[in-house]
Amino acid sequence: LGLATLPMQAPDLAVKELDRAAKLPGIRGVYMGTHVMGKNLDEEAFRPVYARCEALGLAIFLHPLNPVGADRMRKYHLRNLIGNPTDNAIAAASLIFGGVMDAFPKLDVVLPHSGGTMPALIGRWDHGTTVRAELKHMTKPPSTYLRRFHYDTITHQDWILKNLIEQVGADRVVMGSDCPADMSYTHPVDVVERLKGVSADDRELILGGNAARLLKL
């Protein structure tokens, strides 16, 4: 099984590549960065790509690259420790506030690193829609979009993962490993199996059932 990588800087070519790759055996989704050369994912030019992904039933798997604020995160590996989770939240916010998730109601998007900082910020986003003129176009609170996304299990803290499961539902969480990066899980199954207070049925969903549904296996 594999993911198609698209030349998103040229959306018309990205659509053509998507059509080509979708015919290959084993292609089950699309890899996409959390931004495209500094452009957020709500750019109008990207909409034909989302429309084609939705039509083909291919999920989009996001991952950070060149995260925001890198000039202040050159030390201590902060570009990864803070930058990556922050870029995940920017991508999710762009898709929500930019109307992408509304425009493509059957589009599946998988957020890495358990959504990064997005789940922890959702209350702030909800409040913002009630007081900020920039968000007056929002007809629903951002929290209603939590279950429009899938999230991997990469939290590196059991209680954070358990909170995520309670927040979005076990059926929206898929097992991740982040291999072969040094920030990966070496025993990703154990991470799920050791969680307290998670039912056996929910563990099975996270360990494989959700991915099988998402990838149409």
Side-chain angles (χ1 to χ4, degrees), residues 22-104:
K23 298 173 184 176
L24 299 176
I27 292 297
R28 288 293 184 269
V30 173
Y31 165 85
M32 195 176 294
T34 47
H35 64 87
V36 180
M37 301 177 69
K39 293 181 179 180
N40 285 333
L41 299 183
D42 59 330
E43 290 284 329
E44 191 68 27
F46 302 146
R47 302 227 168 183
V49 181
Y50 301 141
R52 198 70 186 120
C53 286
E54 183 184 52
L56 292 168
L58 294 176
I60 295 174
F61 291 76
L62 297 180
H63 199 278
L65 72 166
N66 299 323
V68 66
D71 58 320
R72 294 183 59 198
M73 295 187 292
R74 294 192 177 98
K75 297 166 66 176
Y76 317 122
H77 203 45
L78 295 185
R79 181 179 176 187
N80 181 292
L81 302 182
I82 297 175
N84 280 1
T86 301
D87 236 55
N88 294 334
I90 294 173
S94 298
L95 294 172
I96 293 171
F97 295 132
V100 174
M101 304 310 284
D102 286 330
F104 306 102

Side-chain angles (χ1 to χ4, degrees), residues 141-156:
S143 57
T144 63
Y145 295 86
L146 280 170
R147 286 181 51 77
R148 279 298 315 279
F149 296 91
H150 285 78
Y151 309 77
D152 71 18
T153 55
I154 308 297
T155 64
H156 297 285

Side-chain angles (χ1 to χ4, degrees), residues 98-115:
V100 174
M101 304 310 284
D102 286 330
F104 306 102
K106 295 182 180 180
L107 183 66
D108 284 313
V109 178
V110 183
L111 298 175
H113 314 123
S114 294

